[in-house]
Amino acid sequence: MAIQHTQNISSIQEAHVTSHAEEPNRRDFLIIAGNAFAGVGGVIALWPFIAQMNPDKTALALASTEVDLSPVKEGQAITVVWRGKPVFIRNRTPDEVKAAQDVQMKDLRDEVARNDNLAADAQATDQNRTTKGHENWLVAIGICTHLGCIPKGQAMGDEKGEYGGWFCPCHGSHYDTAARIRKGPAPRNLEIPPYTFVSDTKIKIG
Amino acid sequence: MSSHESNYQPTSRFGKWLEERLPVGGLMYGQFIEFPTPRNLNYWWTFGGILMLCLAAQLVTGIVLAMHYQASAAEAFNSVDHIRRNVNYGYMIQAMHAVGASMFFVAVYTHIFRGLYYGSYKAPREILWILGVFIFLAMMATAFMGYALPWGQMSFWGVTVITNLFSSLDSIIPGVGTAVVEWLWGGYSVSGTTLNRFFSLHYLLPFVIVGLVALHVWALHVVGQNNPAGLDIKTKSDSVPMYPYAVAKDVVGMFAFLILFAWFVFFMPDYLGHSDNFTEANPMVTPPHIVPEWYFLPFYAILRAIPSKLGGVVAMFGSIVVLLFVPWLDTARVRSAKYRPIFKWFFWLFVFTCLALGYLGALPAEEPYVTYAQIFTTYYFAFFLIIMPIVGIIETPKKLPGSITEDVLGPGAGKGAGAAVAASPEAR
């Protein structure tokens, strides 16, 4: 029985080969058209099952957040949540601002500003890390650019690292008062999120 | 057919290398490409493949839903709402899963009735049939626990009523029923604890079904498929290779089924559910009229037909357990009801009975419906326990075709090898 079926199949295959050698017939057309239709349909049907893992509407609804800065005194810092990520907001002292402004570009590990409000190739000067007229405010995403830990330096008693900014305890990355990487394994400065001052004491992130 | 050997010849060097170490290519080729299928199969035989599709669809949509669902009494109801409103394509995937459960039962009931009509349970297919009953039981358990998950009023009170069935054991040994029910609940009432374990088991059981289906298909491939004539494959002209013939027919059946499926998913996704399930579970208020999902209604009618708590439970479980004994209850000499002039009528009366029980299961438990349910429940059991054994003995079957080939081509066909080849569907 089995042998007979093989013969049947091979005879079909032979017939197929011959028909290809000649003109494609009605059956060839139907097979190709049918399989193409089913293939395209199958791929399209797959999309919803992939797209369902993208951020849903509740995640997109958290895309922007407003922060009142008035309670944050000079030298203090707060951490707010934006898109589930911690955002560091520090009211820097004049000494800290001056220390950040005095740094030469050649001393930086990463010379790019990493500021979503500026062009991608802007230099990592303190002016480019802050907003004009509000230079005391440093707003940065508090996620170490090495492997995603949250650096220390927000709370009063925290270790702030060799440059007085932030220090990531996971693998020892030191950030300065403009949240630029100065020492350790992290490759980039802390990211500056897109934000604007809606008033002198209020910012909108996102 | 168990000795059916594969003629698989790998063409690539890698194929040959793999085949010597893991002959999976030869297995698939032998069992799903050149496997001999009876040439007289009709469209009722496409439901096996359709059920495979249903199982796969429930697994894929279910795994996706589990990524967004939260199995807690506080969040379950809201998370289903969240899936339908917020998750990308969630409205569609949730509908596919909920409608899919109903479609799965449409297909499985068709498949079971087909088996009963054509005698697919008769020797040598007893184990195949019994595995099928186990799959049916696992499906019912899975569907029941799945219906609890949206945590609406019907979910909650459905769980309460069905788990309380076990409390009827109290009338045999006092205390045992209560202990079993509290064990099932993980408390003194249905709660979030119950929901959590139901979610866990609802995720587990489909994989048990996959295992049972693998055994079901294995058993099928050992004994070969039954067919409308109920005859065995005897000569080479009685069968065609599974691919492309049976596969192509299955695909046609699947597309027809998918049209019905999609119609529900996209145009009436909640039609088969119950409006009370859009109210969040409230342990303090029972809805005025509790009904299970439509696919459990016949069994629910049997439960309510018996005016005794334990009796009703025994009858309900008995109505499924009796299926396990069908291969030995049927005494007929032929398989297919096509050739059984008396049994055929009892069979259609049985189909009507199941539909009637389903209809009565949705109605309130009051007269005259209870009496009707009792009459139909009596027939349900009489069909298996009295009619199957007796009709099989007293009935004279109609004359069977000489072979499967004759069933298709008429008497005398397939005697000469040339005739079969000339008429075979391979000819273009």
Side-chain angles (χ1 to χ4, degrees), chain B residues 59-84:
Chain B
L59 278 167
V60 170
T61 53
I63 288 168
V64 166
L65 291 178
M67 294 180 190
H68 305 283
Y69 171 76
Q70 295 186 45
S72 81
E75 287 303 318
F77 186 83
N78 292 335
S79 73
V80 175
D81 194 55
H82 162 74
I83 289 167
R84 293 177 62 137

Side-chain angles (χ1 to χ4, degrees), chain A residues 81-138:
Chain A
V81 180
W82 174 66
R83 286 184 174 172
K85 298 172 182 177
V87 173
F88 293 164
I89 302 174
R90 190 187 280 194
N91 189 351
R92 300 186 294 177
T93 62
D95 286 349
E96 285 174 336
V97 175
K98 189 167 188 312
Q101 284 172 344
D102 287 349
V103 175
Q104 298 296 306
M105 279 301 106
K106 64 179 171 52
D107 294 334
L108 290 177
R109 298 272 302 278
D110 176 14
E111 295 186 21
V112 183
R114 310 283 169 200
N115 187 338
D116 289 344
N117 305 290
L118 299 176
D121 57 353
Q123 279 205 319
T125 59
D126 192 63
Q127 285 83 351
N128 281 348
R129 298 281 289 169
T130 54
T131 304
K132 192 169 166 55
H134 304 280
E135 281 82 2
N136 57 323
W137 293 103
L138 194 280

Side-chain angles (χ1 to χ4, degrees), chain A residues 5-6 52 54-58, chain B residues 7 68 82 86 88 239 426:
Chain A
H5 289 314
T6 320
Q52 53 89 13
N54 280 326
D56 63 33
K57 291 198 182 77
T58 54
Chain B
N7 296 287
H68 305 283
H82 162 74
N86 298 331
N88 299 295
S239 71
E426 293 91 79

Side-chain angles (χ1 to χ4, degrees), chain A residues 155-197:
Chain A
M156 278 307 195
D158 275 358
E159 151 111 59
K160 287 187 165 64
E162 291 178 21
Y163 297 86
W166 289 268
F167 170 68
C168 185
C170 290
H171 306 93
S173 291
H174 298 255
Y175 295 91
D176 67 13
T177 53
R180 293 172 295 201
I181 182 67
R182 304 299 293 275
K183 187 181 175 189
R188 296 190 310 278
N189 303 327
L190 291 189
E191 195 83 18
I192 309 293
Y195 74 95
T196 48
F197 276 84

Side-chain angles (χ1 to χ4, degrees), chain B residues 134-154:
Chain B
F134 286 141
I135 293 169
F136 179 46
L137 276 171
M139 274 177 64
M140 293 175 98
T142 310
F144 164 65
M145 292 192 207
Y147 193 57
L149 304 185
W151 211 237
Q153 275 289 68
M154 271 300 167

